[in-house]
Amino acid sequence: MTAPILMDPLATDNAAEGALLRAAGPVVEVELMGGVRAWAVTRHAAARALLNDERLVKSAQHWAAFQRGEIPKTWPLIGLAVPGPSLVTTDGAEHRRLRSIVTQAFTPRRVEAMRPGIEAVTAELLERVAAAGPEVDLKTVFAFPLPMTVIGTLLGVPEQDHATIRDLYERFFSSVKDPAEVPAIIAGLNAFVQGLVAKRRAEPGDDLTSALLAADVEGGPLTDAEAAATLRVIIAAGHETTVNLISNAVRALLTHPDQLELVRKGEVAWSAVVEESLRWTPPTSNFLFRFATEDLPYGDAVIPAGDAVLISYNAIGRDPAQHGVTAEVFDVTRDPARILSFGHGPHVCPGASLARMEAQIALPALFARFPGLRLAVADHELRPSPSMVVNSLKELPVLL
């Protein structure tokens, strides 16, 4: 029997780890920190098939190792693997019930209505960037506050709480935190969203949190626990993926000046830059978890019933079977069809269109405001965040 591939939580080259996983097969057994075993989906076709397979579910009730008590509450990734009752941990009718409430906020019409506000926030932040120059950490002064302001406004989260949220989620997504800190980090996140639920129960406002609590769909309105877990998911997905999308796209363009020049000349649309960035450096490295309800064969592998499955977007995005022999190349002229970086199937990210629009507004505005923008350090000196879940930089130092 082939030994599982050890996934390094301190990996500094996500693309190399993705290539290693992809070369081992479309579905491969892996070992995560703490000796936790799982299966990684590493190729585009396999992901499309398995993300639609009803035998892979989101509820940890089907995770045999967890149910046997083998996964401690201090495991660094427990909050991602077992995050509580929300649209990302349910399936079937219950998932559709929870998802239907959330997707009402992300219809094409409502997302498009956010455009003027996003443009205004972008312009204000670029002035702050200019004032902070000539060298700035673009992640801190631009890539983070833009989506955090957007999702905060949407949910009714005041700006004074944004720094707290960033700190909590950076520690939450970290794969190298002290196990003793894990319960406190999760408790901190839960306390924040529970406080938001309680505040909006008492004082409803014109925001998505109040709308979630007031919605009455088939199966009844959200309970406080469901609302809190759903808000935790929305806040995480609503800012973290877009922070990484913007940061990774800027890095890619600054290290590929020929590609940047194509966009500046108008030969390629900024939307193409966004799609290629999503493929080449996806905001999410590996998405945890789905669980097999029965023995599940795929190719030469069989995922045993009760085992956990992660989706390796690092590996999938550069799959040559989907993207050709140049899959490792950052190429904004590439056909962007069938990018999977926001998921696929019933659990595809409902806020994907908002994230795309934020990036499509932010990137051209940034490069127009600072045409001489360049990295302040060599590319190899940029430090990745220590996470096997998010594809993030600790900071993005640039010269204006």
Side-chain angles (χ1 to χ4, degrees), residues 125-322:
L125 289 173
L126 289 176
E127 291 308 309
R128 294 186 192 178
V129 172
E135 180 175 339
V136 298
D137 172 12
L138 199 66
K139 178 177 179 179
T140 295
V141 298
F142 185 66
F144 170 77
L146 174 57
M148 190 65 250
T149 300
V150 172
I151 202 68
T153 300
L154 185 66
L155 293 176
V157 177
E159 185 174 355
Q160 60 262 30
D161 290 335
H162 293 181
T164 298
I165 292 172
R166 178 177 181 177
D167 176 65
L168 283 169
Y169 275 104
E170 284 186 347
R171 290 190 288 145
F172 177 71
F173 283 118
S174 173
S175 299
V176 295
K177 50 186 171 279
D178 184 340
E181 296 178 353
V182 173
I185 293 169
I186 294 174
L189 281 170
N190 286 339
F192 179 82
V193 292
Q194 287 164 3
L196 185 58
V197 168
K199 182 176 181 180
R200 288 296 175 254
R201 285 281 192 207
E203 302 174 8
D206 184 19
D207 53 67
L208 179 56
T209 301
S210 301
L212 290 174
L213 295 173
D216 189 1
V217 295
E218 185 176 354
L222 291 180
T223 64
D224 282 3
E226 290 173 333
T230 298
L231 287 171
R232 205 173 83 175
V233 170
I234 294 174
I235 294 171
H239 86 277
E240 184 68 31
T241 53
T242 311
V243 172
N244 299 338
L245 170 55
I246 293 171
S247 298
N248 294 343
V250 170
R251 180 187 186 181
L253 289 170
L254 293 181
T255 53
H256 295 81
D258 58 326
Q259 301 297 295
L260 177 56
E261 188 62 19
L262 290 175
V263 193
R264 280 180 159 156
K265 288 181 177 179
E267 297 178 17
V268 177
W270 283 100
S271 60
V273 174
V274 171
E275 296 307 303
E276 180 65 351
S277 298
L278 286 168
R279 180 197 73 83
W280 197 65
T281 49
T284 302
S285 301
N286 302 284
F287 199 92
L288 310 181
F289 267 143
R290 286 167 171 77
F291 309 100
T293 58
E294 59 183 77
D295 288 353
L296 181 55
Y298 190 91
D300 295 331
V302 177
I303 303 170
D307 275 15
V309 176
L310 64 87
I311 310 300
S312 178
Y313 292 112
N314 277 337
I316 292 164
R318 302 193 186 190
D319 182 1
Q322 174 66 22

Side-chain angles (χ1 to χ4, degrees), residues 44 275 278-279 323 335-343 356:
H44 186 100
E275 296 307 303
L278 286 168
R279 180 197 73 83
H323 301 291
D335 180 358
R338 296 185 176 180
I339 300 297
L340 298 184
S341 298
F342 281 115
R356 283 182 164 102

Side-chain angles (χ1 to χ4, degrees), residues 57-72 78 81-82 89 291-292 305-308:
V57 300
K58 297 290 290 183
S59 172
Q61 291 179 351
H62 297 277
W63 189 9
F66 180 72
Q67 295 302 324
R68 291 193 298 263
E70 297 170 7
I71 312 298
I78 192 67
V82 190
T89 59
F291 309 100
D307 275 15

